[in-house]
PDB file of all heavy atoms in Angstrom:
ATOM      1  N   ARG A1182      74.394 104.072 101.803  1.00  0.00           N
ATOM      2  CA  ARG A1182      74.469 105.409 101.199  1.00  0.00           C
ATOM      3  C   ARG A1182      75.454 105.347 100.032  1.00  0.00           C
ATOM      4  O   ARG A1182      76.634 105.040 100.207  1.00  0.00           O
ATOM      5  CB  ARG A1182      74.926 106.402 102.260  1.00  0.00           C
ATOM      6  CG  ARG A1182      74.986 107.863 101.849  1.00  0.00           C
ATOM      7  CD  ARG A1182      75.353 108.658 103.092  1.00  0.00           C
ATOM      8  NE  ARG A1182      75.958 109.934 102.782  1.00  0.00           N
ATOM      9  CZ  ARG A1182      75.305 111.084 102.660  1.00  0.00           C
ATOM     10  NH1 ARG A1182      74.001 111.101 102.801  1.00  0.00           N
ATOM     11  NH2 ARG A1182      75.953 112.210 102.407  1.00  0.00           N
ATOM     12  N   LEU A1184      76.850 107.109  96.188  1.00  0.00           N
ATOM     13  CA  LEU A1184      76.904 108.239  95.259  1.00  0.00           C
ATOM     14  C   LEU A1184      76.746 107.704  93.847  1.00  0.00           C
ATOM     15  O   LEU A1184      77.447 106.766  93.458  1.00  0.00           O
ATOM     16  CB  LEU A1184      78.237 108.976  95.395  1.00  0.00           C
ATOM     17  CG  LEU A1184      78.449 110.164  94.454  1.00  0.00           C
ATOM     18  CD1 LEU A1184      77.538 111.314  94.842  1.00  0.00           C
ATOM     19  CD2 LEU A1184      79.897 110.612  94.460  1.00  0.00           C
ATOM     20  N   PHE A1186      76.851 108.728  89.832  1.00  0.00           N
ATOM     21  CA  PHE A1186      77.175 109.688  88.777  1.00  0.00           C
ATOM     22  C   PHE A1186      76.363 109.352  87.535  1.00  0.00           C
ATOM     23  O   PHE A1186      76.289 108.179  87.130  1.00  0.00           O
ATOM     24  CB  PHE A1186      78.665 109.640  88.425  1.00  0.00           C
ATOM     25  CG  PHE A1186      79.570 110.317  89.408  1.00  0.00           C
ATOM     26  CD1 PHE A1186      80.370 109.572  90.263  1.00  0.00           C
ATOM     27  CD2 PHE A1186      79.622 111.700  89.486  1.00  0.00           C
ATOM     28  CE1 PHE A1186      81.197 110.191  91.173  1.00  0.00           C
ATOM     29  CE2 PHE A1186      80.453 112.330  90.396  1.00  0.00           C
ATOM     30  CZ  PHE A1186      81.250 111.574  91.244  1.00  0.00           C
ATOM     31  N   LEU A1201      79.989 117.301  92.951  1.00  0.00           N
ATOM     32  CA  LEU A1201      80.075 116.852  94.333  1.00  0.00           C
ATOM     33  C   LEU A1201      79.842 118.013  95.307  1.00  0.00           C
ATOM     34  O   LEU A1201      79.207 117.839  96.352  1.00  0.00           O
ATOM     35  CB  LEU A1201      81.438 116.205  94.589  1.00  0.00           C
ATOM     36  CG  LEU A1201      81.707 114.910  93.812  1.00  0.00           C
ATOM     37  CD1 LEU A1201      83.110 114.395  94.100  1.00  0.00           C
ATOM     38  CD2 LEU A1201      80.676 113.846  94.151  1.00  0.00           C
ATOM     39  N   GLY A1205      76.609 118.586  98.234  1.00  0.00           N
ATOM     40  CA  GLY A1205      76.751 118.789  99.663  1.00  0.00           C
ATOM     41  C   GLY A1205      78.134 118.543 100.219  1.00  0.00           C
ATOM     42  O   GLY A1205      78.318 118.533 101.447  1.00  0.00           O
ATOM     43  N   ALA A1206      79.148 118.329  99.357  1.00  0.00           N
ATOM     44  CA  ALA A1206      80.516 118.162  99.850  1.00  0.00           C
ATOM     45  C   ALA A1206      80.964 119.435 100.583  1.00  0.00           C
ATOM     46  O   ALA A1206      80.465 120.536 100.326  1.00  0.00           O
ATOM     47  CB  ALA A1206      81.463 117.854  98.695  1.00  0.00           C
ATOM     48  N   ASP A1207      81.919 119.269 101.478  1.00  0.00           N
ATOM     49  CA  ASP A1207      82.407 120.369 102.318  1.00  0.00           C
ATOM     50  C   ASP A1207      83.204 121.366 101.473  1.00  0.00           C
ATOM     51  O   ASP A1207      84.344 121.104 101.087  1.00  0.00           O
ATOM     52  CB  ASP A1207      83.285 119.795 103.433  1.00  0.00           C
ATOM     53  CG  ASP A1207      83.662 120.830 104.490  1.00  0.00           C
ATOM     54  OD1 ASP A1207      83.881 122.006 104.121  1.00  0.00           O
ATOM     55  OD2 ASP A1207      83.759 120.456 105.672  1.00  0.00           O
ATOM     56  N   ARG A1210      86.698 122.630 102.958  1.00  0.00           N
ATOM     57  CA  ARG A1210      87.778 121.632 102.915  1.00  0.00           C
ATOM     58  C   ARG A1210      88.244 121.409 101.481  1.00  0.00           C
ATOM     59  O   ARG A1210      89.436 121.222 101.227  1.00  0.00           O
ATOM     60  CB  ARG A1210      87.302 120.318 103.525  1.00  0.00           C
ATOM     61  CG  ARG A1210      87.074 120.388 105.019  1.00  0.00           C
ATOM     62  CD  ARG A1210      86.839 119.032 105.624  1.00  0.00           C
ATOM     63  NE  ARG A1210      88.047 118.232 105.646  1.00  0.00           N
ATOM     64  CZ  ARG A1210      88.097 116.979 106.068  1.00  0.00           C
ATOM     65  NH1 ARG A1210      86.987 116.370 106.474  1.00  0.00           N
ATOM     66  NH2 ARG A1210      89.227 116.310 106.060  1.00  0.00           N
ATOM     67  N   VAL A1211      87.312 121.428 100.528  1.00  0.00           N
ATOM     68  CA  VAL A1211      87.689 121.268  99.125  1.00  0.00           C
ATOM     69  C   VAL A1211      88.509 122.466  98.661  1.00  0.00           C
ATOM     70  O   VAL A1211      89.548 122.308  98.013  1.00  0.00           O
ATOM     71  CB  VAL A1211      86.435 121.085  98.246  1.00  0.00           C
ATOM     72  CG1 VAL A1211      86.806 121.124  96.755  1.00  0.00           C
ATOM     73  CG2 VAL A1211      85.742 119.759  98.574  1.00  0.00           C
ATOM     74  N   ALA A1214      92.007 122.306 100.084  1.00  0.00           N
ATOM     75  CA  ALA A1214      92.837 121.320  99.387  1.00  0.00           C
ATOM     76  C   ALA A1214      93.304 121.851  98.035  1.00  0.00           C
ATOM     77  O   ALA A1214      94.475 121.704  97.665  1.00  0.00           O
ATOM     78  CB  ALA A1214      92.056 120.025  99.210  1.00  0.00           C
ATOM     79  N   VAL A1262      95.160 118.114 102.664  1.00  0.00           N
ATOM     80  CA  VAL A1262      94.290 117.149 101.983  1.00  0.00           C
ATOM     81  C   VAL A1262      94.055 115.957 102.906  1.00  0.00           C
ATOM     82  O   VAL A1262      95.011 115.441 103.505  1.00  0.00           O
ATOM     83  CB  VAL A1262      94.934 116.660 100.658  1.00  0.00           C
ATOM     84  CG1 VAL A1262      93.997 115.708  99.920  1.00  0.00           C
ATOM     85  CG2 VAL A1262      95.281 117.857  99.774  1.00  0.00           C
ATOM     86  N   PRO A1263      92.800 115.482 103.055  1.00  0.00           N
ATOM     87  CA  PRO A1263      92.557 114.284 103.869  1.00  0.00           C
ATOM     88  C   PRO A1263      93.396 113.114 103.362  1.00  0.00           C
ATOM     89  O   PRO A1263      93.550 112.948 102.146  1.00  0.00           O
ATOM     90  CB  PRO A1263      91.056 114.021 103.670  1.00  0.00           C
ATOM     91  CG  PRO A1263      90.481 115.344 103.281  1.00  0.00           C
ATOM     92  CD  PRO A1263      91.550 116.046 102.504  1.00  0.00           C
ATOM     93  N   PRO A1264      93.978 112.301 104.251  1.00  0.00           N
ATOM     94  CA  PRO A1264      94.867 111.213 103.813  1.00  0.00           C
ATOM     95  C   PRO A1264      94.232 110.277 102.798  1.00  0.00           C
ATOM     96  O   PRO A1264      94.882 109.874 101.834  1.00  0.00           O
ATOM     97  CB  PRO A1264      95.190 110.486 105.125  1.00  0.00           C
ATOM     98  CG  PRO A1264      95.001 111.505 106.187  1.00  0.00           C
ATOM     99  CD  PRO A1264      93.891 112.388 105.722  1.00  0.00           C
ATOM    100  N   GLU A1265      92.942 109.922 103.002  1.00  0.00           N
ATOM    101  CA  GLU A1265      92.306 109.008 102.048  1.00  0.00           C
ATOM    102  C   GLU A1265      92.133 109.658 100.681  1.00  0.00           C
ATOM    103  O   GLU A1265      92.224 108.998  99.645  1.00  0.00           O
ATOM    104  CB  GLU A1265      90.952 108.522 102.587  1.00  0.00           C
ATOM    105  CG  GLU A1265      89.885 109.598 102.751  1.00  0.00           C
ATOM    106  CD  GLU A1265      89.881 110.282 104.104  1.00  0.00           C
ATOM    107  OE1 GLU A1265      90.979 110.392 104.703  1.00  0.00           O
ATOM    108  OE2 GLU A1265      88.812 110.714 104.562  1.00  0.00           O
ATOM    109  N   ALA A1266      91.917 110.986 100.664  1.00  0.00           N
ATOM    110  CA  ALA A1266      91.789 111.700  99.393  1.00  0.00           C
ATOM    111  C   ALA A1266      93.138 111.796  98.689  1.00  0.00           C
ATOM    112  O   ALA A1266      93.220 111.662  97.464  1.00  0.00           O
ATOM    113  CB  ALA A1266      91.213 113.097  99.626  1.00  0.00           C
ATOM    114  N   LEU A1267      94.209 112.006  99.457  1.00  0.00           N
ATOM    115  CA  LEU A1267      95.547 112.093  98.860  1.00  0.00           C
ATOM    116  C   LEU A1267      95.944 110.752  98.236  1.00  0.00           C
ATOM    117  O   LEU A1267      96.481 110.710  97.124  1.00  0.00           O
ATOM    118  CB  LEU A1267      96.564 112.509  99.921  1.00  0.00           C
ATOM    119  CG  LEU A1267      97.974 112.795  99.400  1.00  0.00           C
ATOM    120  CD1 LEU A1267      97.987 114.022  98.503  1.00  0.00           C
ATOM    121  CD2 LEU A1267      98.947 112.987 100.572  1.00  0.00           C
ATOM    122  N   ALA A1268      95.676 109.648  98.944  1.00  0.00           N
ATOM    123  CA  ALA A1268      95.986 108.322  98.395  1.00  0.00           C
ATOM    124  C   ALA A1268      95.189 108.069  97.123  1.00  0.00           C
ATOM    125  O   ALA A1268      95.699 107.510  96.141  1.00  0.00           O
ATOM    126  CB  ALA A1268      95.688 107.244  99.434  1.00  0.00           C
ATOM    127  N   MET A1269      93.927 108.513  97.112  1.00  0.00           N
ATOM    128  CA  MET A1269      93.098 108.329  95.932  1.00  0.00           C
ATOM    129  C   MET A1269      93.635 109.156  94.758  1.00  0.00           C
ATOM    130  O   MET A1269      93.661 108.686  93.609  1.00  0.00           O
ATOM    131  CB  MET A1269      91.659 108.740  96.258  1.00  0.00           C
ATOM    132  CG  MET A1269      90.628 108.302  95.238  1.00  0.00           C
ATOM    133  SD  MET A1269      88.951 108.724  95.778  1.00  0.00           S
ATOM    134  CE  MET A1269      88.771 107.634  97.175  1.00  0.00           C
ATOM    135  N   ALA A1270      94.090 110.372  95.030  1.00  0.00           N
ATOM    136  CA  ALA A1270      94.645 111.223  93.978  1.00  0.00           C
ATOM    137  C   ALA A1270      95.896 110.579  93.371  1.00  0.00           C
ATOM    138  O   ALA A1270      96.102 110.632  92.148  1.00  0.00           O
ATOM    139  CB  ALA A1270      94.967 112.603  94.527  1.00  0.00           C
ATOM    140  N   VAL A1303      91.764 117.085  90.486  1.00  0.00           N
ATOM    141  CA  VAL A1303      91.815 115.736  91.045  1.00  0.00           C
ATOM    142  C   VAL A1303      91.797 115.796  92.570  1.00  0.00           C
ATOM    143  O   VAL A1303      91.041 115.066  93.230  1.00  0.00           O
ATOM    144  CB  VAL A1303      93.064 114.977  90.537  1.00  0.00           C
ATOM    145  CG1 VAL A1303      93.257 113.675  91.314  1.00  0.00           C
ATOM    146  CG2 VAL A1303      92.933 114.684  89.050  1.00  0.00           C
ATOM    147  N   ILE A1304      92.616 116.665  93.163  1.00  0.00           N
ATOM    148  CA  ILE A1304      92.623 116.808  94.619  1.00  0.00           C
ATOM    149  C   ILE A1304      91.255 117.264  95.113  1.00  0.00           C
ATOM    150  O   ILE A1304      90.733 116.766  96.123  1.00  0.00           O
ATOM    151  CB  ILE A1304      93.717 117.800  95.056  1.00  0.00           C
ATOM    152  CG1 ILE A1304      95.102 117.167  94.899  1.00  0.00           C
ATOM    153  CG2 ILE A1304      93.512 118.234  96.503  1.00  0.00           C
ATOM    154  CD1 ILE A1304      96.237 118.085  95.265  1.00  0.00           C
ATOM    155  N   GLY A1305      90.653 118.215  94.400  1.00  0.00           N
ATOM    156  CA  GLY A1305      89.340 118.714  94.799  1.00  0.00           C
ATOM    157  C   GLY A1305      88.267 117.643  94.740  1.00  0.00           C
ATOM    158  O   GLY A1305      87.458 117.503  95.669  1.00  0.00           O
ATOM    159  N   ALA A1306      88.266 116.863  93.659  1.00  0.00           N
ATOM    160  CA  ALA A1306      87.257 115.812  93.508  1.00  0.00           C
ATOM    161  C   ALA A1306      87.426 114.734  94.573  1.00  0.00           C
ATOM    162  O   ALA A1306      86.444 114.268  95.166  1.00  0.00           O
ATOM    163  CB  ALA A1306      87.343 115.201  92.111  1.00  0.00           C
ATOM    164  N   CYS A1307      88.674 114.322  94.830  1.00  0.00           N
ATOM    165  CA  CYS A1307      88.919 113.272  95.828  1.00  0.00           C
ATOM    166  C   CYS A1307      88.567 113.756  97.228  1.00  0.00           C
ATOM    167  O   CYS A1307      88.000 113.006  98.035  1.00  0.00           O
ATOM    168  CB  CYS A1307      90.375 112.819  95.767  1.00  0.00           C
ATOM    169  SG  CYS A1307      90.817 111.965  94.226  1.00  0.00           S
ATOM    170  N   THR A1308      88.889 115.018  97.535  1.00  0.00           N
ATOM    171  CA  THR A1308      88.534 115.573  98.836  1.00  0.00           C
ATOM    172  C   THR A1308      87.023 115.688  98.979  1.00  0.00           C
ATOM    173  O   THR A1308      86.454 115.369 100.035  1.00  0.00           O
ATOM    174  CB  THR A1308      89.187 116.951  99.023  1.00  0.00           C
ATOM    175  OG1 THR A1308      90.614 116.821  98.920  1.00  0.00           O
ATOM    176  CG2 THR A1308      88.834 117.551 100.378  1.00  0.00           C
ATOM    177  N   ALA A1309      86.351 116.129  97.922  1.00  0.00           N
ATOM    178  CA  ALA A1309      84.892 116.255  97.967  1.00  0.00           C
ATOM    179  C   ALA A1309      84.236 114.906  98.216  1.00  0.00           C
ATOM    180  O   ALA A1309      83.313 114.788  99.036  1.00  0.00           O
ATOM    181  CB  ALA A1309      84.382 116.859  96.657  1.00  0.00           C
ATOM    182  N   LEU A1310      84.717 113.865  97.535  1.00  0.00           N
ATOM    183  CA  LEU A1310      84.147 112.535  97.737  1.00  0.00           C
ATOM    184  C   LEU A1310      84.370 112.075  99.177  1.00  0.00           C
ATOM    185  O   LEU A1310      83.467 111.508  99.812  1.00  0.00           O
ATOM    186  CB  LEU A1310      84.773 111.540  96.764  1.00  0.00           C
ATOM    187  CG  LEU A1310      84.290 110.089  96.900  1.00  0.00           C
ATOM    188  CD1 LEU A1310      82.799 109.988  96.622  1.00  0.00           C
ATOM    189  CD2 LEU A1310      85.073 109.177  95.961  1.00  0.00           C
ATOM    190  N   ALA A1311      85.576 112.324  99.715  1.00  0.00           N
ATOM    191  CA  ALA A1311      85.871 111.904 101.087  1.00  0.00           C
ATOM    192  C   ALA A1311      84.936 112.574 102.085  1.00  0.00           C
ATOM    193  O   ALA A1311      84.517 111.957 103.071  1.00  0.00           O
ATOM    194  CB  ALA A1311      87.326 112.206 101.422  1.00  0.00           C
ATOM    195  N   THR A1312      84.584 113.845 101.854  1.00  0.00           N
ATOM    196  CA  THR A1312      83.735 114.556 102.812  1.00  0.00           C
ATOM    197  C   THR A1312      82.275 114.125 102.725  1.00  0.00           C
ATOM    198  O   THR A1312      81.519 114.344 103.679  1.00  0.00           O
ATOM    199  CB  THR A1312      83.821 116.080 102.613  1.00  0.00           C
ATOM    200  OG1 THR A1312      83.236 116.454 101.354  1.00  0.00           O
ATOM    201  CG2 THR A1312      85.261 116.561 102.681  1.00  0.00           C
ATOM    202  N   LEU A1313      81.858 113.508 101.628  1.00  0.00           N
ATOM    203  CA  LEU A1313      80.464 113.067 101.508  1.00  0.00           C
ATOM    204  C   LEU A1313      80.183 111.807 102.316  1.00  0.00           C
ATOM    205  O   LEU A1313      79.029 111.478 102.588  1.00  0.00           O
ATOM    206  CB  LEU A1313      80.102 112.825 100.037  1.00  0.00           C
ATOM    207  CG  LEU A1313      79.815 114.073  99.209  1.00  0.00           C
ATOM    208  CD1 LEU A1313      79.582 113.709  97.749  1.00  0.00           C
ATOM    209  CD2 LEU A1313      78.595 114.823  99.766  1.00  0.00           C
ATOM    210  N   ARG A1314      81.230 111.037 102.669  1.00  0.00           N
ATOM    211  CA  ARG A1314      81.096 109.862 103.524  1.00  0.00           C
ATOM    212  C   ARG A1314      80.072 108.870 102.971  1.00  0.00           C
ATOM    213  O   ARG A1314      79.144 108.453 103.673  1.00  0.00           O
ATOM    214  CB  ARG A1314      80.693 110.267 104.943  1.00  0.00           C
ATOM    215  CG  ARG A1314      81.691 111.168 105.649  1.00  0.00           C
ATOM    216  CD  ARG A1314      82.968 110.437 105.956  1.00  0.00           C
ATOM    217  NE  ARG A1314      83.932 111.248 106.691  1.00  0.00           N
ATOM    218  CZ  ARG A1314      85.184 110.921 106.867  1.00  0.00           C
ATOM    219  NH1 ARG A1314      85.638 109.786 106.379  1.00  0.00           N
ATOM    220  NH2 ARG A1314      86.001 111.701 107.532  1.00  0.00           N
ATOM    221  N   VAL A1315      80.234 108.490 101.709  1.00  0.00           N
ATOM    222  CA  VAL A1315      79.348 107.479 101.125  1.00  0.00           C
ATOM    223  C   VAL A1315      80.000 106.111 101.224  1.00  0.00           C
ATOM    224  O   VAL A1315      81.215 105.985 101.359  1.00  0.00           O
ATOM    225  CB  VAL A1315      79.017 107.813  99.654  1.00  0.00           C
ATOM    226  CG1 VAL A1315      78.203 109.083  99.569  1.00  0.00           C
ATOM    227  CG2 VAL A1315      80.277 107.912  98.804  1.00  0.00           C
ATOM    228  N   GLY A1316      79.178 105.072 101.156  1.00  0.00           N
ATOM    229  CA  GLY A1316      79.693 103.716 101.247  1.00  0.00           C
ATOM    230  C   GLY A1316      80.065 103.101  99.926  1.00  0.00           C
ATOM    231  O   GLY A1316      80.638 102.003  99.887  1.00  0.00           O
ATOM    232  N   VAL A1318      80.265 104.027  95.214  1.00  0.00           N
ATOM    233  CA  VAL A1318      80.021 104.920  94.085  1.00  0.00           C
ATOM    234  C   VAL A1318      79.621 104.077  92.879  1.00  0.00           C
ATOM    235  O   VAL A1318      80.278 103.083  92.561  1.00  0.00           O
ATOM    236  CB  VAL A1318      81.268 105.761  93.733  1.00  0.00           C
ATOM    237  CG1 VAL A1318      81.009 106.624  92.498  1.00  0.00           C
ATOM    238  CG2 VAL A1318      81.674 106.634  94.915  1.00  0.00           C
ATOM    239  N   PHE A1376      86.779 106.031  91.340  1.00  0.00           N
ATOM    240  CA  PHE A1376      85.682 106.145  92.301  1.00  0.00           C
ATOM    241  C   PHE A1376      84.750 104.940  92.254  1.00  0.00           C
ATOM    242  O   PHE A1376      84.190 104.544  93.273  1.00  0.00           O
ATOM    243  CB  PHE A1376      84.853 107.403  92.018  1.00  0.00           C
ATOM    244  CG  PHE A1376      85.535 108.703  92.342  1.00  0.00           C
ATOM    245  CD1 PHE A1376      84.948 109.918  91.993  1.00  0.00           C
ATOM    246  CD2 PHE A1376      86.763 108.735  92.988  1.00  0.00           C
ATOM    247  CE1 PHE A1376      85.555 111.121  92.278  1.00  0.00           C
ATOM    248  CE2 PHE A1376      87.393 109.935  93.278  1.00  0.00           C
ATOM    249  CZ  PHE A1376      86.776 111.132  92.927  1.00  0.00           C
ATOM    250  N   ILE A1513      80.804 104.298 105.792  1.00  0.00           N
ATOM    251  CA  ILE A1513      81.525 105.112 106.768  1.00  0.00           C
ATOM    252  C   ILE A1513      80.531 106.079 107.385  1.00  0.00           C
ATOM    253  O   ILE A1513      79.821 106.793 106.670  1.00  0.00           O
ATOM    254  CB  ILE A1513      82.695 105.862 106.124  1.00  0.00           C
ATOM    255  CG1 ILE A1513      83.743 104.871 105.601  1.00  0.00           C
ATOM    256  CG2 ILE A1513      83.339 106.816 107.129  1.00  0.00           C
ATOM    257  CD1 ILE A1513      84.918 105.511 104.903  1.00  0.00           C
ATOM    258  N   THR A1514      80.448 106.070 108.699  1.00  0.00           N
ATOM    259  CA  THR A1514      79.497 106.935 109.390  1.00  0.00           C
ATOM    260  C   THR A1514      80.211 107.716 110.485  1.00  0.00           C
ATOM    261  O   THR A1514      81.232 107.261 111.029  1.00  0.00           O
ATOM    262  CB  THR A1514      78.354 106.101 110.003  1.00  0.00           C
ATOM    263  OG1 THR A1514      77.369 106.978 110.554  1.00  0.00           O
ATOM    264  CG2 THR A1514      78.865 105.163 111.088  1.00  0.00           C
ATOM    265  N   ASP A1515      79.712 108.889 110.802  1.00  0.00           N
ATOM    266  CA  ASP A1515      80.275 109.696 111.878  1.00  0.00           C
ATOM    267  C   ASP A1515      79.606 109.333 113.199  1.00  0.00           C
ATOM    268  O   ASP A1515      78.376 109.157 113.261  1.00  0.00           O
ATOM    269  CB  ASP A1515      80.082 111.183 111.603  1.00  0.00           C
ATOM    270  CG  ASP A1515      81.058 111.707 110.563  1.00  0.00           C
ATOM    271  OD1 ASP A1515      82.082 111.040 110.351  1.00  0.00           O
ATOM    272  OD2 ASP A1515      80.796 112.750 109.953  1.00  0.00           O
ATOM    273  N   PRO A1528      84.897 109.511 112.222  1.00  0.00           N
ATOM    274  CA  PRO A1528      84.428 108.500 111.260  1.00  0.00           C
ATOM    275  C   PRO A1528      84.736 107.077 111.720  1.00  0.00           C
ATOM    276  O   PRO A1528      85.795 106.797 112.291  1.00  0.00           O
ATOM    277  CB  PRO A1528      85.198 108.849 109.986  1.00  0.00           C
ATOM    278  CG  PRO A1528      86.453 109.501 110.471  1.00  0.00           C
ATOM    279  CD  PRO A1528      86.084 110.238 111.729  1.00  0.00           C
ATOM    280  N   GLU A1544      88.504 104.960 112.171  1.00  0.00           N
ATOM    281  CA  GLU A1544      89.524 105.380 111.214  1.00  0.00           C
ATOM    282  C   GLU A1544      90.748 105.857 111.993  1.00  0.00           C
ATOM    283  O   GLU A1544      90.657 106.781 112.822  1.00  0.00           O
ATOM    284  CB  GLU A1544      88.990 106.495 110.312  1.00  0.00           C
ATOM    285  CG  GLU A1544      87.836 106.068 109.414  1.00  0.00           C
ATOM    286  CD  GLU A1544      88.296 105.251 108.220  1.00  0.00           C
ATOM    287  OE1 GLU A1544      89.273 104.483 108.343  1.00  0.00           O
ATOM    288  OE2 GLU A1544      87.685 105.386 107.158  1.00  0.00           O
ATOM    289  N   THR A1547      92.268 109.902 112.028  1.00  0.00           N
ATOM    290  CA  THR A1547      91.534 110.904 112.803  1.00  0.00           C
ATOM    291  C   THR A1547      91.586 110.588 114.298  1.00  0.00           C
ATOM    292  O   THR A1547      91.644 111.498 115.128  1.00  0.00           O
ATOM    293  CB  THR A1547      90.072 110.978 112.333  1.00  0.00           C
ATOM    294  OG1 THR A1547      89.514 109.654 112.315  1.00  0.00           O
ATOM    295  CG2 THR A1547      89.979 111.568 110.939  1.00  0.00           C
TER     296      THR A1547
END
Side-chain angles (χ1 to χ4, degrees):
R1182 184 175 157 93
L1184 178 70
F1186 283 106
L1201 295 178
D1207 189 324
R1210 291 190 71 183
V1211 172
V1262 183
E1265 65 271 31
L1267 187 66
M1269 194 176 292
V1303 170
I1304 287 178
C1307 293
T1308 301
L1310 178 62
T1312 67
L1313 282 175
R1314 299 292 183 192
V1315 294
V1318 177
F1376 289 173
I1513 296 178
T1514 186
D1515 284 340
E1544 295 283 34
T1547 51

